[in-house]
């Protein structure tokens, strides 16, 4: 038996993928202040409410336009390395606490990405896992430069 016989079916859909598949591929730009920079695409490529995975060097980065602001997260869930940024849509979350007298309230509307493997929810603007306060996804600096979207590493 080979090692691949014991791999779960989803093992090929993680950060270790070698091809870009249907993902957009970023263009490396000249470094600035010792930091690598990449052109992810045009502003028009990422309209409000849109998100997609972009290959940046050897990384896969999820780029999100939430309410007109751009965010970038690695496409890897800290839970079990699932492709978190490949979720089909963004949602919100339901909460109930003392502040609301334990009445359910909808929060973070269209700001939450749900890992397709096991359902962990992450607040995209902060990278915070909603189920476990000790889990947080790193965020990358993304900005516009003219008509381009640029990521800094």
């Amino acid at each position: 038996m080979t090692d691949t016989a014991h791999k779960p079916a989803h093992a090929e859909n993680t950060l270790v993928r070698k091809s870009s598949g249907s993902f957009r591929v970023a263009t490396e730009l000249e470094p600035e202040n010792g930091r690598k920079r990449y052109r992810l695409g045009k502003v028009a490529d990422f309209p409000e409410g849109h998100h997609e995975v972009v290959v940046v060097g050897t990384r896969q980065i999820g780029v999100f336009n939430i309410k007109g602001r751009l965010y970038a997260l690695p496409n890897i869930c800290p839970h079990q390395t699932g492709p978190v940024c490949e979720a089909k849509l963004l949602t919100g979350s339901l909460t109930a606490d003392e502040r609301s007298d334990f009445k359910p309230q909808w929060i973070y509307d269209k700001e939450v990405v749900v890992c397709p493997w096991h359902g962990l929810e992450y607040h995209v603007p902060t990278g915070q896992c909603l189920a476990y306060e000790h889990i947080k996804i790193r965020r990358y600096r993304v900005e516009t430069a003219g008509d381009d979207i640029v990521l800094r590493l």
Side-chain angles (χ1 to χ4, degrees):
M1 249 194 251
T2 65
D3 289 337
T4 58
H6 297 293
K7 286 184 181 178
H10 59 267
E12 277 113 39
N13 295 325
T14 65
L15 185 68
V16 297
R17 274 182 276 191
K18 297 297 182 195
S19 78
S20 63
S22 62
F23 298 148
R24 178 186 307 269
V25 177
T27 305
E28 190 165 1
L29 301 171
E30 288 293 319
E32 189 174 275
N33 298 324
R35 307 282 310 253
K36 288 187 176 184
R37 299 182 320 131
Y38 293 86
R39 180 186 174 277
L40 303 179
K42 297 279 187 195
V43 172
D45 296 333
F46 296 87
E48 187 170 330
H50 178 77
H51 75 278
E52 70 178 88
V53 175
V54 179
V55 175
V56 179
T58 60
R59 297 177 171 107
Q60 292 179 5
I61 307 291
V63 181
F64 300 80
N65 183 335
I66 298 175
K67 300 173 185 169
R69 295 204 53 197
L70 295 168
Y71 301 94
L73 306 173
N75 186 29
I76 187 164
C77 179
H79 175 231
Q80 289 189 348
T81 70
V84 66
C85 297
E86 293 179 47
K88 298 295 182 210
L89 55 97
L90 295 180
T91 186
S93 189
L94 201 57
T95 187
D97 57 22
E98 289 180 19
R99 292 177 294 207
S100 68
D101 197 26
F102 296 98
K103 292 178 184 163
Q105 292 184 323
W106 187 250
I107 59 171
Y108 304 137
D109 190 39
K110 298 178 183 160
E111 296 180 359
V112 175
V113 65
V114 180
C115 181
W117 280 10
H118 300 107
L120 276 184
E121 298 174 323
Y122 295 91
H123 183 236
V124 173
T126 63
Q128 183 63 54
C129 176
L130 300 182
Y132 303 104
E133 69 179 41
H134 66 280
I135 298 177
K136 193 170 189 176
I137 297 178
R138 87 170 278 173
R139 294 172 297 140
Y140 294 99
R141 184 173 170 191
V142 62
E143 57 197 27
T144 58
D147 289 337
D148 292 330
I149 295 177
V150 176
L151 178 92
R152 295 177 185 271
L153 294 180

